[in-house]
Amino acid sequence: MSRSDSSADDQSMELGETTGQLAGYLADLTYDDLPQEAVELEKRHLLDTLGCILYGTTTPWVRKVVDALEANEETGHGSVSVPTTGIKLPPARAALVNGTASHSMDYDDYCQDAGVHAGSAIVPATLSYVQSTDRTVSGKDAITALTGGVEVAVRSGYGIGRGSLFDGWHIAGWTDAFGGAATAGLLMGLDREKMAHSLALAGTQGAGLMGAAYGAEVKRFHMGKAAESGYLGAMLAEQSFTGDTKIFTERWGGIGQTMSDDYDIPAVTEGLGDTYEFLSKLTFKPFPSVGQTHPPATAIRLIVEENGLDTDKITNVRVRVTETAKEKAGWDFEPEGVMSAQGNMQYAIGTYLVDGEIRIDAYTEEAIRRPAVLKRIENIEIIPDPDLVADDASFNSRYKTTVEADTVDGSTYSATVSQPPGFPENPMSDEELIEKFTEQAEYVLDDEDIDAIVNFVLNVEDQDDFAELFEYLD
């Protein structure tokens, strides 16, 4: 990838230290710099996110975003298509819709310790750039930009601090913006100085409040807005518009000091370029709901499968979780919208006990109100247990969950889970990720196109022109 003209060295030296280091890493990054394991994981990440976007375009909340843009005559005036919708938008607006679609079912990736849904920003940024440029973007160029974006997104989370989430900020609204700006900036060929301003401009646009998790559709929009903010940040920086490149500096107005008490600025760049943090953090979801629901849902499945139980014979379920998990996803379930179900442990367990599995079609306005599921939920108790993190404050300990299930014969079975499927320590297989992609893509694509996308993505480094992917997406 070519680099836009660099500014004078004395101007570059004025950049904030941390942002300047991130920008330098990105401006110099090439495909040959990437470890093979990073390439392989990012290919899986790309496929996973494309599936989320494809299904997301069918959801009513994405349709509302598209309708709003159509009502304001923004469609038909751009070069970037939104898969399966038949509309074209300017690049940043297309990133908004595709990012919203990716997060529309809470089926996209998330990231341990950093508060990131990186795919929902970096993939939309890539789709937007590739369709709006006159130059050919190779598969290697695309995977380099995606890898740089996810790595910066994760590292930016350290500089913001996970405590921001406890204070009610949807941290991914910021980390995703940084990631989207990094990916777009790489594809645009920004030099170090412009890359730093791209990151700064994206970060200052971050947004999102966690109150949306209780049922509002706007939580899906947070990631779309982050994708748009990242892309817009890179567009502005390309035109020499400046941002506060000291955004990661420990001072009044710096992002860490503003948003949390546990930010760690040195960690943002520690080992940068040598250690890829996303390799040990990136997590995929085997069913569409927030991360805190996955350990209890996994535990009840283990109880059933390992003991050969009939779910009809389970009478009561007790779920022991951390205080934080209880607050975020253990509230008494009321069917106030699909988001309320996706963010709730009782619903995940209840639908498993009724259906024997948890599929995407369990998260519709009709499905979440099924009497059989609501009846089951009456006998599912979520119990905060402070002992779960007494000796260990690690991410796995924060997710640690013990489920106890009583049966009609008076027996009690239990299982404890802290690393559900999809965690780096318990990864989903290629076959499972392909099955997940297919489950979503089959709503809008035929088998031939689905197979073509899987083959293209899993061999993306061999593709001369990434834009050929769009032959199968529309």
Side-chain angles (χ1 to χ4, degrees), residues 445 449 452-453 456 465-474:
L445 300 178
D449 283 340
I453 292 170
F456 186 100
D465 187 356
F466 191 82
E468 292 177 359
L469 176 65
F470 295 96
E471 296 177 14
Y472 316 116
L473 288 175
D474 291 323

Side-chain angles (χ1 to χ4, degrees), residues 3-4 15 19 22-28 181-201 233-234 237-238 245:
R3 299 290 166 208
S4 56
L15 302 177
T19 310
L22 290 173
Y25 155 73
L26 292 168
D28 293 338
T183 292
L186 270 161
L187 291 167
M188 293 177 188
L190 301 186
D191 62 31
R192 177 175 177 264
E193 182 172 358
K194 289 185 176 181
M195 187 73 79
H197 287 289
S198 173
L199 296 173
L201 290 163
E238 190 176 34
T245 65

Side-chain angles (χ1 to χ4, degrees), residues 55 59 61 103-107 220 288-289 338 342 360 363:
Y55 183 84
T59 61
W61 28 92
H103 193 56
S104 67
M105 292 301 293
D106 232 304
Y107 215 176
R220 296 92 162 56
S289 65
V338 173
Q342 290 174 313
I360 200 166
Y363 292 89

Side-chain angles (χ1 to χ4, degrees), residues 186-373:
L186 270 161
L187 291 167
M188 293 177 188
L190 301 186
D191 62 31
R192 177 175 177 264
E193 182 172 358
K194 289 185 176 181
M195 187 73 79
H197 287 289
S198 173
L199 296 173
L201 290 163
T204 201
Q205 297 175 76
L209 297 173
M210 282 308 302
Y214 293 110
E217 293 174 348
V218 73
K219 183 175 183 292
R220 296 92 162 56
F221 181 78
H222 290 172
M223 297 307 97
K225 189 61 180 171
E228 180 186 49
S229 296
Y231 201 91
L232 180 59
M235 288 175 58
L236 290 169
E238 190 176 34
Q239 301 303 316
S240 300
F241 195 86
T242 63
D244 173 24
T245 65
K246 294 181 174 61
I247 191 169
F248 286 108
T249 302
E250 190 169 351
R251 65 170 186 179
W252 182 82
I255 195 166
Q257 187 168 320
T258 300
M259 294 186 64
S260 76
D261 294 324
D262 64 348
Y263 60 92
D264 186 351
I265 301 300
V268 176
T269 56
E270 184 178 354
L272 181 64
D274 296 321
T275 301
Y276 278 79
E277 290 290 304
F278 86 100
L279 291 174
S280 61
K281 306 293 184 182
L282 192 67
T283 301
F284 299 108
K285 293 182 178 180
F287 59 87
S289 65
V290 302
Q292 284 81 2
T293 69
H294 286 245
T298 300
I300 192 66
R301 178 177 59 80
L302 290 174
I303 288 171
V304 169
E305 294 180 355
E306 292 180 357
N307 297 285
L309 301 180
D310 185 333
T311 57
D312 290 338
K313 300 298 191 295
I314 294 176
T315 57
N316 298 286
V317 176
R318 292 173 298 282
V319 183
R320 302 187 185 278
V321 297
T322 66
E323 295 274 4
T324 300
K326 161 71 174 174
E327 181 176 352
K328 187 177 180 186
W331 32 274
D332 291 339
F333 177 69
E334 294 290 342
E336 296 175 350
V338 173
M339 188 64 242
S340 68
Q342 290 174 313
N344 189 269
M345 297 177 186
Q346 286 180 326
Y347 182 79
I349 294 172
T351 196
Y352 174 79
L353 292 176
V354 171
D355 299 332
E357 60 181 346
I358 305 176
R359 290 180 51 84
I360 200 166
D361 54 14
Y363 292 89
T364 66
E365 292 293 342
E366 297 76 21
I368 67 171
R369 291 174 171 82
R370 288 178 292 168
V373 175

Side-chain angles (χ1 to χ4, degrees), residues 1-3 23 25-30 129 135 141-150 152 179-190 195 198 234:
M1 288 177 282
S2 63
R3 299 290 166 208
Y25 155 73
L26 292 168
D28 293 338
L29 187 65
T30 68
Y129 182 79
R135 75 176 188 84
D141 284 348
I143 210 69
T144 302
L146 289 163
T147 304
V150 65
V152 165
T183 292
L186 270 161
L187 291 167
M188 293 177 188
L190 301 186
M195 187 73 79
S198 173

